[in-house]
Structure formats: structure tokens, C-alpha cells
Amino acid sequence: MSNPARASWGSKLGLILASAGSAIGLGNLWRFPYIAAENGGGSFLFIYLLCTFSVGITLLFAESALGVKTKSDPAGAFAWINPHLKFIGTLGVFTSAIIVPYYSVVGGWIIAYIAKSFCMADIGNFETHFSEFIASPVSPVLYFYAYMLATAAVVYMGIEHGIEKFCKWMMPLLFLLLLVLMLRVLTLENAWEGVKFFFLPDFSKITAESWLDAMGQVFFSISVGMGIYITYGSYVKDDTISISKTMWPVAVLDVSVSLLTGLTIFPAVFAFGLPMNAGPSLTFITLPAIFADIPLGTFFGIVFFVILLGAAITSSISLMEVVTTFLCDQFKMTRKKAVAAYTALCLVTGTLVSLSFGKLSGFKIGGKILFDQFDFLASNILLPVGGLLTSIAIGWILGPEKLVVFKNKILQRCFEFCVKWLAPVSVLAILLNALGVI
Ligand code: PHE
């Protein structure tokens, strides 16, 4: 399957960093805390960890192995298993087209908050300020365009050189800063109430809906279910690479960033008496409140939002790269044309998504505004369905023994069991249960 003209990573570390760049993003720093808050904190953490280290990691390994083996975009990779399965890869392209617009709207908010960091102390009520900002018809839309164009520019230039270096600096910096912030927050009065909320499970809060939310969060956060790792794996030259050794740090880093975020946001919410039910705005209200209150807060605020922006862009790049590789491989489009066409589509849908907080807030589908509906559809339905189909295709049609993930025989058998049984059965059960079928 090797094609000498196909681009490749500079090193194994390049693949690890780009994959961690895809996994770590707004899913950890923005989505995780508010979804956890909506589902009772500690109880959610428990099922989130369970889903990550069972289904999440299985699919991470399976997708990467398929990419390394086929050296093709997701549609081509599934077509290699069986021509009738090509649609599974194409579904990932559709999922990306749903995620990119709303993800980039949040990316736009980050750029706005970098600008606002300079006058954070004068903002006054962070809650009101934030809700007024996102509801306004012009400025969030313009910030969204800026974010979208920045992402498109990186994908347009190709990722091999920029992204490896970018992630190498940014990821350690992100960890360091989160650690400093966490330590600062944990020394505030009442902060331990937040730690308790985050760690002490209250199992009575777990419903069918929480399982669906946790599964959706795992798929979203670790970036599985839409062919990202098939795409990234396809750029690996060395077929003898150990998939498990290369990819497990991705899962561990992803979970660590979520834990650090939870240990910062929840204690801050309790210490500052902020609203726990703030939904998507939680991070944008609590963090500025901390920055306004600590020495050198403006500096920390700017650094934090710049890093958040970097983390978000490395994820957006991966989302866009799936579509770009698909258009290039399947329709023989040039990278230039593929990026231009896809960006134009996302600019239109993203504008509607941004306006759903203001002018279009009356337009609801299934009781949800467009932003929430896109997020629900992508994370809780499309990604799990993509993961389900992937595990069925590999576990039952290809045969999981065709993908060597572990060199150790026993571990390889465990992987095969997980792809064949654990992943499809648990995802299906959660989906059907949440939809009220079982
Ligand atoms: N994993 C990314 C994050 O946590 C988002 C993402 C989802 C990226 C799906 C690619 C695919 O922010």
C-alpha cells in the first residue's frame, strides 16, 4: 500500500504530537467542565474514565492501525475492507462539516477574549458580559471568520512542518499554565467544595442520558469516530511501528488535561460563587473571574487564552484535514481547491450557528438552538455511530487479527475482543438506551 509520493510525518514523535494536538482542545478545556457539571460532577467523571479506557482507546488503536495499513483517507480505507463500506469514511466527512462550524464559533470567542484580556478587570459582571457578547449579531461572527481563516491557512500550507513544531512548544506550556492556575485556585477559600464535587460520585445522578453524554464526550475529546487517526496514520511511513506504544500517550495526555481543567474550573466556581449551570459559557465566565482577581491576572489571562487558541487550532486542523485528504484522494482536487471549497461552506453554516445565540435564537430544532443541536448531533450521535460502524467493519468484516496493534499476544487478543464485542455492544446499548428503545 505504500505510495512514495504521499506526504509523511518527520518522526514518530510528530505523529504523537499531532494526534495529541487533535485530541486536546476545546473538548477538554471548554466542553468537559460544563458537560460534567450538567451531569453531577463526580459521577460523570467515573463513567467518562471508564468509557475512555475501554471503548475510546480501542477505537484510537483500531483507527490508527487501519490508517497505517491502508495509507489512505477514511473513505479509501473502508473501501479497502469492502467497497460497500466506503460510506463509513464519508460519514466522517459529514461529521467534520457539522463540528467545524460550531467549534470555530467558540474559537472566535477565544480570539475575542484575548483582545478583552487587556481590560478584564473592568468587565464587571462576567456572566452578563459574556451572554451579551455572544448574542450580538456582528462581532462574534467577525471573530469566527478570523478563526476560520487562520485554521484554513494552516491546512492550506500543509501540516507536516508547522504542526509538529507548534505542538512541541504549546503542549508543555499548556500543562504548565494549567498547573499554575490549578494550584492558585486550590488555595482559595471554599475551593475544596469544588474538588469534592468533581471527585465524589453520586451514583443516583447517573441516568441513560449521562451515559450518552459521557460516551459523546469521550468520542469528541479523544477525536475518534470520524477517521482522524485513519488520516493521520496514513501519513506514517514505517509499517512496523508499534501502534499501542505510539498512541497510548495520546489517551493519557487527553485525560490529564481534562482532569486538570476540572480541578481548576470547579474549585473556582465554588470559590467565586459562580453559576454551575452556565452551560457552554462556564469556562468563559469562571476563568476571566479568576484572572481579574489574581496578581498578574491580565498576563495570565492573555497567555491562557493564547494557549487555548493554539490547542483549539490544532484540533480544527485535524477536523479540516480529514475533509481535505478526502477531497484530494477521492476527487483528485488540489489541496488549495479542497480547502477553499470547504472553508466557504463552513463560513456560511458557522454564521448561522453564531447567530443562534442572538437573532436566530427563536429557531429551534428539537427544542435546541442550532449551536446545541449541532453539538448534540455530532458528539452524541454521529461520532458514536461512526465508532460503532468502524468497530463492526474491523471486528466482523475485516477481522481484527488483520490489524496488529500489540506485539504481545495476550494484549493483542484483548484488543481483538474489544473491537469485536466490547466497543460495538456498549456503544449500541448506550445509543438505544438513550433513544428509549431499550
Ligand atoms: N478532540 C477535539 C477536542 O477535544 C475536538 C475534535 C473532535 C477534534 C472530533 C477532532 C475530531 O477539542
Side-chain angles (χ1 to χ4, degrees):
M1 285 264 156
S2 108
N3 164 10
R6 197 172 179 83
S8 63
W9 300 106
S11 61
K12 195 163 90 176
L13 188 66
L15 170 66
I16 299 177
L17 291 176
S19 303
S22 170
I24 297 168
L26 298 178
N28 312 72
L29 295 142
W30 157 75
R31 198 175 186 280
F32 175 75
Y34 85 81
I35 298 278
E38 281 172 358
N39 286 285
S43 19
F44 181 84
L45 179 65
F46 177 78
I47 47 179
Y48 163 77
L49 291 175
L50 198 71
C51 293
T52 300
F53 290 108
S54 52
V55 177
I57 204 156
T58 301
L59 287 169
L60 172 68
F61 289 163
E63 284 188 18
S64 314
L66 187 61
V68 172
K69 181 133 193 136
T70 59
K71 307 269 182 289
S72 173
D73 74 293
F78 284 105
W80 172 78
I81 297 178
N82 183 314
H84 295 299
L85 298 180
K86 194 171 169 181
F87 76 96
I88 304 177
T90 315
L91 183 72
V93 174
F94 178 65
T95 309
S96 162
I98 298 281
I99 298 179
V100 169
Y102 78 85
Y103 199 86
S104 306
V105 166
V106 181
W109 298 349
I110 302 173
I111 301 184
Y113 266 65
I114 293 174
K116 287 172 199 293
S117 291
F118 291 98
C119 51
M120 226 30 126
D122 313 324
I123 281 182
N125 184 329
F126 291 101
E127 229 185 306
T128 324
H129 178 86
F130 183 75
S131 35
E132 278 170 9
F133 164 68
I134 58 171
S136 92
V138 182
S139 73
V141 177
L142 294 179
Y143 282 116
F144 153 68
Y145 290 164
Y147 180 89
M148 199 64 239
L149 294 177
T151 310
V154 181
V155 180
Y156 178 84
M157 290 185 297
I159 57 169
E160 297 86 2
H161 297 299
I163 196 169
E164 289 194 29
K165 280 202 189 113
F166 192 50
C167 295
K168 212 186 229 158
W169 283 99
M170 220 194 51
M171 295 301 163
L173 205 62
L174 174 77
F175 264 97
L176 194 73
L177 206 90
L178 266 176
L179 249 148
V180 172
L181 269 183
M182 180 190 78
L183 292 177
R184 175 68 191 98
V185 171
L186 288 179
T187 53
L188 295 168
E189 206 177 319
N190 239 355
W192 284 100
E193 289 307 308
V195 177
K196 275 197 228 150
F197 174 78
F198 187 41
F199 279 123
L200 286 185
D202 171 1
F203 291 109
S204 66
K205 292 254 167 62
I206 298 185
T207 59
E209 199 65 36
S210 337
W211 280 98
L212 185 66
D213 276 349
M215 184 66 88
Q217 174 61 22
V218 167
F219 275 76
F220 187 86
S221 183
I222 210 168
S223 305
V224 290
M226 54 168 286
I228 299 259
Y229 299 109
I230 299 179
T231 307
Y232 276 10
S234 76
Y235 294 122
V236 171
K237 265 217 173 96
D238 175 14
D239 285 349
T240 60
I241 187 176
S242 160
I243 302 288
S244 55
K245 281 198 186 128
T246 312
M247 300 311 277
W248 74 263
V250 177
V252 172
L253 286 172
D254 186 53
V255 165
S256 314
V257 174
S258 294
L259 288 177
L260 279 177
T261 310
L263 277 172
T264 308
I265 302 280
F266 295 124
V269 166
F270 279 89
F272 288 90
L274 293 164
M276 185 62 92
N277 57 354
S281 49
L282 191 61
T283 301
F284 288 88
I285 296 172
T286 46
L287 287 178
I290 306 173
F291 295 133
D293 206 56
I294 61 174
L296 293 177
T298 307
F299 171 75
F300 276 119
I302 294 167
V303 176
F304 181 82
F305 281 111
V306 167
I307 288 174
L308 188 55
L309 180 64
I313 286 189
T314 50
S315 300
S316 304
I317 291 167
S318 68
L319 283 159
M320 228 189 199
E321 186 59 35
V322 170
V323 183
T324 308
T325 309
F326 170 81
L327 293 176
C328 295
D329 284 3
Q330 299 294 321
F331 295 96
K332 306 288 167 247
M333 268 194 193
T334 60
R335 176 167 277 268
K336 223 172 167 176
K337 274 210 185 116
V339 172
Y342 187 59
T343 306
L345 174 77
C346 291
L347 284 175
V348 176
T349 36
T351 305
L352 300 176
V353 170
S354 180
L355 292 176
S356 72
F357 287 101
K359 285 248 182 299
L360 296 181
S361 61
F363 176 68
K364 291 192 174 149
I365 307 173
K368 288 182 163 68
I369 61 165
L370 216 50
F371 181 98
D372 293 336
Q373 190 56 258
F374 269 41
D375 184 39
F376 177 80
L377 185 65
S379 307
N380 289 8
I381 309 289
L382 291 172
L383 290 176
V385 166
L388 175 67
L389 294 174
T390 304
S391 56
I392 293 175
I394 295 176
W396 292 89
I397 300 172
L398 175 69
E401 63 289 342
K402 302 261 170 51
L403 299 179
V404 181
V405 166
F406 288 95
K407 301 218 160 121
N408 177 304
K409 282 229 158 57
I410 298 176
L411 292 175
Q412 174 67 20
R413 288 279 171 279
C414 286
F415 164 75
E416 290 167 14
F417 171 79
C418 289
V419 180
K420 200 162 176 167
W421 294 102
L422 184 89
V425 171
S426 47
V427 177
L428 194 64
I430 290 172
L431 276 172
L432 294 180
N433 191 6
L435 296 174
V437 182
I438 54 172

